[in-house]
Amino acid sequence: MSESNESADVLALSNTPDAIELRHLRAFVAVAEELNFGRAASRLYLSQPALSRQIRALERLLGCDLLRRSTHRVELTLAGEALLDRTRTLLADLDSALVTARSVGGELVGRANRMWAPVATGRSDRGQESLTSLRSAYEQMLAQAPVPPDVVVVPLTCGGVPALQVAADASRPPRVLHLHGGGFVMGSAYGYRGFAGALATSIGSGVLVPDYRLAPEHPYPAAVDDAVSAYLWMLEQVPADQLIVSGDSGGGALALSLLLALRDRGHPMPAGAVLLCPGVDMTEIVEGTSPLAEHENFGMLAQCVEWYVAGQPTDDPLLDPMNADLAGLPPMLIQLASGDPVAVGARQLAERAEQQGVQVTMELYAVETHIFQLFWSFLPEAQQAMAKVGEFTERLLGPGKVSRTV
C-alpha cells in the first residue's frame, strides 16, 4: 500500500490521544504480553474486573477490538498487534524519562523519608507520653498509604486474636498471614490495610493481618502466642502447603519466631516466608553491640526492644531467632534496602539460614528507606519488590492455585 493510499484509508481520530490514559495503555500491554488477564492483573496490582474495564475503555476510544477473548484464551487482533509495538516504545521512552528525573531529584525516596520522619525523630524516653506519641506518628504515616480500590476489608477473630482480612474476594479464606512492623510496640491491622491490599493483589490471595498484642503492655511471648493462634486458625481453613507467612521490620522477626514455634511444636509448616526489611538484631541491640548503635535513632529502637524483651534472656531462640537453629524452615524471600540500617542483620540471617539448609532468595534494592515496600503506591523500587513477592509465592504455590472456599 502506498503512503498516499494508507493515509486515505486510515480514519483520523484527532481527539482520541487526549482521551486515552496511560493506565489504559499499560493495561493493554500487560494483557498483550501475558495473554492472560489473571497474570496481567497481578502484574499491575489490579483486580481482573478493573483490568477488563480499562481494556474496554481503550477499545471504545479507539473504536475497534484489540483482543479476542474466549474461555481459555486471549489473542491479539490485527489492530492489537499494530498498537502493541508502538505502545511498548512509547511507554519505554516515558519510563526512561521518569527514571532519569527520579534519579536526578530523588524526590520519591525523599518523599518516603519525609513520611518516616515523625516516627524516626520520636522521643525515646520511657514515659507513656513518649509511647503514645510514637504510636500516633506511626499510624499517621501508615494512613497516608491508599487502600487499593478493588479490595474489601473484613474484621475477623482468629483463634481469639482480632484481625482484618484484606482481599478482592472475601468469600475465600486468606492464604497469607502478615505480621505488621512497628518494633513490637507500634502498628495495627487497621494501619496496614493499604499495604495488605497491595500484598493481596500481588499474590492473588487474601491477606490476614492479626492485631497481635503489643509491648510494653504485653511483652514477649504475647506476640508469638497470638501469631501462632492466628496461624492455627488459618490451618482450619487452608492446607499448610497453600499458606504463606510474611512480616515487615519487627514483624519479620516475629514471622521467624512463628516459624520456629511451629516447627518445635510439631505443627505443619507453611509453603514459604516473605521477610521485608526484617529487624533481627535483637541480642546485639540489648547488649549495645549492634552496628545500629551508631545510628541516630538507636535510642528509640533500643527502647522498643527493651519494652518487648522485658528483661528476659535473649538466648531464647523464639525471642531472638538469630540464636536459633534454622534447619527445617520453609523457603524464604528476604528483601533488603541498601541504605537501611537493619540490612546488616538481615544479611547475616540470610547467610545463616542458607548455611543451615534453608532455601533463601535475597534481594537488595538501591533505596535508603526502611520498609520501603510500604510506599508501593509511588516508589518504583517498592512496586518492583511487590511484583517479586508475587513471583516468589507463585513459584511455591503454583500458578492459578486457589484455596477452597469456606
Side-chain angles (χ1 to χ4, degrees):
M1 181 183 291
S2 68
E3 182 177 346
S4 60
N5 286 338
E6 181 179 11
S7 63
D9 290 343
V10 176
L11 178 64
L13 300 173
S14 58
N15 293 329
T16 298
D18 293 333
I20 292 174
E21 300 180 28
L22 282 175
R23 61 183 181 139
H24 297 150
L25 297 177
R26 293 193 190 279
F28 165 69
V29 169
V31 175
E33 290 180 345
E34 299 287 350
L35 292 179
N36 180 285
F37 270 79
R39 291 195 295 270
S42 177
R43 171 173 157 181
L44 296 175
Y45 309 104
L46 291 173
S47 68
Q48 290 190 46
L51 179 62
S52 182
R53 288 194 295 271
Q54 292 190 15
I55 296 295
R56 292 293 188 193
L58 179 60
E59 289 176 329
R60 285 196 301 271
L61 288 168
L62 292 176
C64 60
D65 290 336
L66 301 173
L67 302 168
R68 295 189 190 92
R69 305 160 179 84
S70 64
T71 304
H72 303 292
R73 300 184 63 183
V74 177
E75 296 179 340
L76 284 171
T77 64
L78 289 176
E81 292 177 356
L83 180 64
L84 178 58
D85 288 341
R86 292 174 175 83
T87 301
R88 278 174 171 156
T89 301
L90 171 66
L91 293 178
D93 289 344
L94 175 62
D95 289 341
S96 177
L98 292 176
V99 167
T100 300
R102 288 164 177 164
S103 65
V104 172
E107 173 58 26
L108 295 180
V109 172
R111 177 182 171 186
N113 288 330
R114 287 193 297 273
M115 291 170 68
W116 261 118
V119 182
T121 58
R123 294 164 49 188
S124 60
D125 57 87
R126 294 174 176 269
Q128 182 61 40
E129 183 180 349
S130 168
L131 179 59
T132 300
S133 175
L134 282 173
R135 288 173 172 170
S136 176
Y138 197 54
E139 291 297 322
Q140 289 177 24
M141 182 194 74
L142 294 172
Q144 297 180 60
V147 178
D150 297 306
V151 300
V152 294
V153 181
V154 179
L156 298 171
T157 300
C158 309
V161 181
L164 293 180
Q165 175 183 328
V166 184
D169 182 358
S171 69
R172 293 186 177 275
R175 288 190 292 163
V176 182
L177 175 66
H178 184 77
L179 300 169
H180 68 75
F184 306 100
V185 305
M186 299 176 282
S188 68
Y190 185 83
Y192 268 74
R193 291 168 301 144
F195 176 77
L199 190 61
T201 302
S202 174
I203 294 177
S205 171
V207 175
L208 184 74
V209 188
D211 257 324
Y212 61 85
R213 287 170 291 173
L214 300 176
E217 297 90 344
H218 304 283
Y220 172 83
V224 178
D225 291 342
D226 288 351
V228 171
S229 295
Y231 178 85
L232 294 181
W233 178 88
M234 293 181 75
L235 271 183
E236 298 175 358
Q237 327 296 319
V238 180
D241 64 1
Q242 291 188 37
L243 290 177
I244 297 292
V245 167
S246 69
D248 63 284
S249 191
L254 183 56
L256 274 174
S257 297
L258 168 61
L259 295 176
L260 292 168
L262 295 175
R263 182 197 64 186
D264 295 346
R265 298 172 192 178
H267 296 301
M269 300 291 279
V274 175
L275 308 179
L276 309 176
C277 300
V280 292
D281 206 6
M282 197 78 66
T283 299
E284 292 183 343
I285 289 175
V286 171
E287 296 175 349
T289 59
S290 167
L292 294 171
E294 303 298 323
H295 195 269
E296 59 182 347
N297 299 320
F298 180 75
M300 181 184 68
L301 176 61
Q303 178 60 79
C304 292
V305 171
E306 183 180 333
W307 276 327
Y308 179 62
V309 172
Q312 300 182 67
T314 55
D315 58 359
D316 179 348
L318 294 188
L319 181 56
D320 186 355
M322 289 295 282
N323 292 322
D325 175 6
L326 304 177
L329 297 191
M332 295 180 188
L333 170 64
I334 302 176
Q335 292 185 344
L336 312 175
S338 59
D340 186 353
V342 308
V344 175
R347 281 178 180 271
Q348 294 173 351
L349 167 68
E351 293 170 0
R352 289 190 67 246
E354 196 164 37
Q355 290 169 0
Q356 296 178 28
V358 180
Q359 180 183 330
V360 178
T361 302
M362 188 180 76
E363 297 174 352
L364 182 65
Y365 293 82
V367 60
E368 298 183 359
T369 304
H370 183 47
I371 331 179
F372 67 97
Q373 298 91 342
L374 290 177
F375 308 104
W376 58 270
S377 63
F378 63 86
L379 192 64
E381 294 85 353
Q383 293 163 3
Q384 180 185 1
M386 295 298 284
K388 291 294 186 180
V389 170
E391 293 174 8
F392 173 76
T393 56
E394 183 174 294
R395 288 198 301 271
L396 296 178
L397 302 180
K401 188 174 183 181
V402 297
S403 307
R404 63 178 182 269
T405 56
V406 178

